[in-house]
Structures are given as C-alpha cells and as structure tokens.
Amino acid sequence: MKSHPRHVPLLPSLPPAARFVLAGLVVACLAYLVASLERTEPTSPTTAPEPEVAVPELDHKVLATARDDTREHRLQVEPEPLRHLLATAIDVGPTVANALGMPAEPVPLDDLRKAPANWRGRWLFYEGTIEHLSGPREGHPIDGRSIYEATLRLRSGDAVLAAFSMPPQAPLAVGSWARAEGFLLKLRDATYPTPIDLAPMLVGRELQRDYERWPPVTTLDTNLLATVDDASFAVGAPVWRTIDEDQHEPLWHLGAFVRDTGPQRSLAEWRKIGTLNNELHKPLREGKVARGQPVRVFGSLILRRTVAAAPNPAGIQHWTAAWLQVREYSGGSLVPVWVPKRVAELPERVQLEVRGYYYRWAIYETHRGESRWAPLFVAADLDPYQLDTGLGLRSVAPWLAGIGCAFLSLIVVAQWRARRAADAHTRALVELRRRQRAHKAAAAGAKPASPRGEH
C-alpha cells in the first residue's frame, strides 16, 4: 500500500478564542509601532549640571555700624564698613554679581529710601551720566589698591554715589554714560561739589562703561566681524578668550543678529544648509568660510555654563557657553557654541541640532591639559534634534500594512488548512469505524452453527 507524506501545518491548530487574541495582538503591535514613529523619544529627567558659583559672605555686624538715619550720619562715611565692602567686592564680576541676586532692574529709589536697612549689603546697580570723578586716594584695605569715587546723575535727575577699586578705563570720563554696581553701603548726603540728598552709595569693583541700546539687528555687518583676528597667538588674542573675556562689539553684534533674526528662518530652510563635518574643516582652516556664515552643528551636549553678561548695547543679559561632541568632525572633537541668553534645562548628553553662525577659531584645554583648536559658533538657542518622521512614516507605512496583511493571511490560511485536515481526519475515522462495524457484522454472519447433540 502506497504511503502519503503527512502534511505538517505551518502553525499549530488554535481554538477560535486564541485566534482572535493572536490577531488582536498583531494589530496592537502594528498600531504601537506606527505611533512610536510619530512621537519623539521622551528625554531623561537628568539635567546637565552647571558649575556652582562661589559668592562672598559679608560681615553684617560690621555693616550695622553704617548709619543713615539722620543727615549728620549721612554726611559722613564710616571707614570700617567701607573697607570691608571694598575688600569683598574686588573679586565680584558679572557672574558672581548675578549669583548674589542682583535685581534685573534698578531698585526704585523711593523703595530704597523707605527702608535702607533692608537693602544694606545687597548688590545693586544704576546707570547714568558721570557727573563727578575723584581719586585715587589712600585708605584701601588691600595693599597696592586705591579708592576711586564717582557721582552718577540718573535719567530721573537723582544722584547715585559709587566707591570702587579699579581706576576708570578710557573712554570713561565726566559726561560719559556709565554703570555703577556694588554693595549698598548706606544713604548719603553731600554738599560738595553739588548738594545731594538721600543718594544711595554703592561699593563695588569698578565703574563700567554702559551703552545706549541698539535697535533690532537684522543685517549682518561682515566688516565688523572681519575685525576679529583669530590668527594671533599673543596673550589676550581672541583665540584664547573665554565667554567672560570676549565681551566686545563683534560678539555683541553677532549675538544680537542671531537673536533678532532667529524666528525668520524655519527649520525646513535650515535643513537646506550644510553641516559641520570633516569636509568643512579645510575651508575653515583656510579662511574660506566667512564669519557669520550659517552652519548646522549636530552633537551631544557635554557641558554648559551660563554667565551674566557685561553691559552691552545689544541688551544681552546672559551668555550660555556649551560644548558639543561632534562625531562627524575631527574624530568626535568638542566644538564650542555661545548662546546670547540663559538656556533652559536640557538632558545630559542630549542630541542637539544647533543652528549656528561661524564666529571665529578658539583654543581650549582638555581635561588632560592638551590644547585643541575648534571653530566657535554663535546660535540663538540649543535646539534638541527633532527626527523628521513624516517622510519615513509615509515610506514605511505601506510595508508595515503589507506585512500585517500577509501575517494575518498566513494565520487565516493556516487555520483553514488545519480545519480541512481536521475534517478529513474526522471523515476518515467515521469511515474506518463504519468499515470495522461492517466487518464485524460480516464475520458474525459467516460463523457456522454447532450440530445438535454434539458434545
């Protein structure tokens, strides 16, 4: 008898309930896959830490000896609290001043005069025209330093007095617009060279040049940017300057330009612009990339820090310096990016797509003490990379649908074949039992009867 090979189904036979469950799981998996393509990956809650800023501590017992409750007290300056504040303020720069809680705007003089004790020792600032300059004179608590004093006339007509340790730098002179920052010592009255009543006296590090505000910067001044010389290795040359030291007009201009024109260029337009990679290194080194040229920088955020901005005509309050590891450039070197604002919290090692503008070359030191060259960019923000899933989803969706239909068809065919095999097996069993009954009946009818009387 010829034997036939036994048919082995692709999938085991499943009860109807299990089939519906399996089909539902397949559909759910496909829906989840499509949805995951459309949404961005959630970011980690861990944020890249910023270095802590150490702030000086004041001796409030010494400050309490400064009195301004009567005109007689306001006409004189107590030497001990003045010396204490001069020595403390000598190391206070913009970043430390920001950490001390300097208000974003000058404190209204009416509020300060109502309760000067509440503001004593606070780091404040005022802007105005220099009406009087004096110094140097002796009495500074630090050897080699002298005391300088200035009177500023505010726009309101009120006066502010300032004492500081650094000699005024050109072009600061009587008639210049300046900014006085420092700890509030007390309210002062004066009779010379002009009568002054209830003027706040600030004790700081230096008298700073201030500027009238620029209008929005929408046109890039390439001639101004060309004045940046990053080919010199001299001490103080631009290549060595940090964000704190490179506070000059070219940087302010480029920072204002990227800030004021940022909303005008869409992400789609930016993605038509070239990226920082090894192919761009040679043109950068040969000076063939113009300062202010837009470049996209893809990288991982390694470190960032925010500093308070020095007075500037662009109205920039903070700068954020970030270092990105760019794998496509120079074997994964770090690339600095400066942003003219305080950047929001970002996850550690977040992937960024920075829409930057080339500024100059910079030299930085690695943790091993090695000096590295890198191009420096200025950007309006540090933008996390956004995967464009629209085109990918449209191209992948037909394949996903085809795979899903094929899989469901495979299940249906396998179940149909399994049902046919089960029905055939049932029919074969019925036929086999019928033949067995027939055979038994035939065998029983053919059996001979026993003769009567036979023992």
Side-chain angles (χ1 to χ4, degrees):
M1 184 177 179
K2 185 178 180 180
S3 60
H4 297 280
R6 183 181 177 185
H7 170 71
V8 179
L10 294 177
L11 294 174
S13 179
L14 298 174
R19 291 178 223 157
F20 286 112
V21 171
L22 181 59
L25 288 175
V26 172
V27 173
C29 290
L30 291 175
Y32 175 78
L33 180 59
V34 171
S36 63
L37 287 175
E38 292 180 336
R39 66 173 182 263
T40 57
E41 182 180 357
T43 55
S44 168
T46 304
T47 57
E50 290 190 10
E52 294 185 0
V53 178
V55 296
E57 295 185 2
L58 298 178
D59 189 336
H60 293 281
K61 291 183 178 180
V62 174
L63 289 183
T65 62
R67 301 180 62 184
D68 50 12
D69 51 334
T70 66
R71 179 173 173 78
E72 181 181 0
H73 291 152
R74 292 193 296 271
L75 287 172
Q76 59 183 341
V77 178
E78 295 81 0
E80 284 305 313
L82 173 62
R83 290 168 56 87
H84 173 60
L85 292 182
L86 284 169
T88 306
I90 193 67
D91 294 324
V92 177
T95 301
V96 178
N98 187 70
L100 283 170
M102 179 178 64
E105 300 292 337
V107 176
L109 293 183
D110 289 341
D111 295 345
L112 192 149
R113 288 164 176 163
K114 290 177 182 178
N118 295 339
W119 296 96
R120 200 180 320 277
R122 289 283 304 275
W123 190 273
L124 308 176
F125 80 95
Y126 290 94
E127 300 170 341
T129 302
I130 301 178
E131 189 174 82
H132 176 72
L133 278 175
S134 65
R137 67 176 179 85
E138 298 179 353
H140 200 287
I142 300 176
D143 292 340
R145 295 289 184 185
S146 301
I147 301 177
Y148 298 83
E149 294 180 316
T151 301
L152 298 187
R153 186 64 62 176
L154 310 184
R155 293 185 187 276
S156 62
D158 294 296
V160 171
L161 304 179
F164 46 96
S165 305
M166 308 293 291
Q169 300 295 315
L172 287 177
V174 174
S176 300
W177 187 261
R179 174 183 175 115
E181 286 188 16
F183 295 108
L184 176 67
L185 173 60
K186 61 186 292 183
L187 296 179
R188 285 289 318 278
D189 288 349
T191 58
Y192 178 83
T194 56
I196 293 175
D197 295 323
L198 297 171
M201 180 176 182
L202 305 182
V203 180
R205 181 176 187 270
E206 60 183 341
L207 191 65
Q208 303 177 30
R209 180 185 178 187
D210 208 351
Y211 307 84
E212 295 289 343
R213 292 293 180 261
W214 286 341
V217 178
T218 57
T219 303
L220 199 61
D221 188 345
T222 55
N223 293 328
L224 177 60
L225 294 180
T227 62
V228 179
D229 178 17
D230 56 3
S232 173
F233 291 88
V235 177
V239 291
W240 298 103
R241 292 174 185 165
T242 64
I243 187 67
D244 309 80
E245 300 165 340
D246 196 5
Q247 294 297 307
H248 299 86
E249 190 172 353
L251 177 62
W252 300 334
H253 174 75
L254 185 55
F257 174 78
V258 302
R259 176 198 62 194
D260 298 339
T261 61
Q264 299 176 8
R265 184 172 288 177
S266 66
L267 178 58
E269 293 174 326
W270 265 103
R271 287 188 168 169
K272 298 177 182 178
I273 294 173
T275 62
L276 178 64
N277 51 36
N278 290 328
E279 296 180 0
L280 194 61
H281 177 73
K282 187 176 180 180
L284 282 168
R285 293 297 300 140
E286 295 177 349
K288 296 180 179 179
V289 178
R291 302 188 195 279
Q293 177 172 321
V295 178
R296 287 186 298 152
V297 183
F298 290 88
S300 302
L301 178 62
I302 302 301
L303 181 67
R304 67 181 174 91
R305 72 183 185 100
T306 299
V307 300
N312 61 86
I316 297 171
Q317 299 295 323
H318 295 88
W319 284 95
T320 296
W323 284 262
L324 276 64
Q325 185 177 29
V326 182
R327 298 187 182 278
E328 292 76 18
Y329 180 75
S330 189
S333 296
L334 294 184
V335 174
V337 177
W338 292 352
V339 180
K341 70 172 189 176
R342 180 184 293 277
V343 176
E345 296 293 337
L346 288 172
E348 190 175 5
R349 291 279 182 173
V350 63
Q351 295 297 313
L352 300 177
E353 180 182 2
V354 173
R355 307 159 200 175
Y357 292 79
Y358 173 59
Y359 176 45
R360 62 170 172 82
W361 281 93
I363 297 178
Y364 67 92
E365 288 190 358
T366 67
H367 64 282
R368 297 179 181 178
E370 301 173 349
S371 297
R372 294 285 181 87
W373 283 83
L376 170 61
F377 296 88
V378 177
D381 204 348
L382 300 178
D383 299 299
Y385 174 65
Q386 298 178 4
L387 179 63
D388 186 7
T389 60
L391 181 60
L393 182 60
R394 289 193 295 271
S395 60
V396 172
W399 290 96
L400 293 177
I403 293 173
C405 292
F407 190 75
L408 292 175
S409 299
L410 181 62
I411 293 176
V412 172
V413 171
Q415 293 301 312
W416 177 72
R417 295 179 66 177
R419 174 58 61 190
R420 286 188 59 189
D423 292 342
H425 183 66
T426 301
R427 289 194 297 271
L429 287 177
V430 171
E431 181 63 22
L432 178 61
R433 290 172 183 167
R434 187 185 65 76
R435 289 199 300 269
Q436 288 178 346
R437 287 196 297 270
H439 180 71
K440 289 180 181 180
K447 184 178 180 182
S450 299
R452 291 182 180 180
E454 185 178 343
H455 299 282

